[in-house]
Amino acid sequence: MPKRFALTAWLLVVWLALWGSVTVANVVGGLAVAAAVQLLPDPHPVRAPFRLRPLAALRFLAYFLYKLVEASLVVAREVVTKDDRINTGVVAVTLEGASDSLVTIVACAYGLMPGASAIEVRRDPPTVYVHVLHLRSVAEVRRDIRRLEVLAVRAFGPPEAVADVEREELEMVREAP
């Protein structure tokens, strides 16, 4: 019950902020909208539980920040030099073990990097289409996004998804010469 009250209060605050004034009509309308939002069925229910593993989340954040700095330096170099090294492209990357929430995290994280933008996300199969400013190799873009996906699964995914990721990595190690 406290969660519903908190959600109702939050929705009412947002509603009033959007209208820009506190009137009886706005409060009643906001309460009606908040009730309707909470009573309607969720069209996209979360398929997998969301977990937070702090150390894995720090690894995800560290990798994201590293890639953010790297991308910023590449774009800055492009801006200050006379050479035109721009080679744009759109790459489709299928995410293998990610839930809707994890696909969102990966797409947003990659799209926040300078020179990259998530332009479309498809649900079945989970696929992210990204526009890249400096496309050197499609395989490299897919590797970067796959690395983000693995780190996101380890940081926020359900235990089954983490086990799948670890199993895949173990198989890759066994197949390596």
Side-chain angles (χ1 to χ4, degrees), residues 68-89:
L68 183 69
V69 169
E70 179 184 57
S72 297
L73 291 173
V74 168
V75 171
R77 182 182 65 211
E78 184 66 42
V79 169
V80 298
T81 62
K82 292 180 182 179
D83 298 338
D84 183 11
R85 300 179 190 181
I86 294 177
N87 183 28
T88 64

Side-chain angles (χ1 to χ4, degrees), residues 11-32:
L11 290 171
L12 180 61
V13 166
V14 170
W15 181 263
L16 293 173
L18 289 171
W19 280 101
S21 63
V22 178
T23 65
V24 173
N26 287 344
V27 170
V28 170
L31 289 172

Side-chain angles (χ1 to χ4, degrees), residues 47-98:
R47 295 181 187 167
F50 186 82
R51 295 261 174 98
L52 175 64
R53 294 175 191 83
L55 290 177
L58 285 174
R59 282 191 287 275
F60 175 82
L61 181 63
Y63 181 76
F64 168 72
L65 291 175
Y66 168 76
K67 295 304 281 182
L68 183 69
V69 169
E70 179 184 57
S72 297
L73 291 173
V74 168
V75 171
R77 182 182 65 211
E78 184 66 42
V79 169
V80 298
T81 62
K82 292 180 182 179
D83 298 338
D84 183 11
R85 300 179 190 181
I86 294 177
N87 183 28
T88 64
V90 176
V91 179
V93 182
T94 302
L95 302 178
E96 297 171 18

Side-chain angles (χ1 to χ4, degrees), residues 158-171:
E160 307 82 41
V162 174
D164 289 344
V165 163
E166 290 173 354
R167 193 175 316 110
E168 287 173 16
E169 287 183 347
L170 187 60
E171 288 173 10

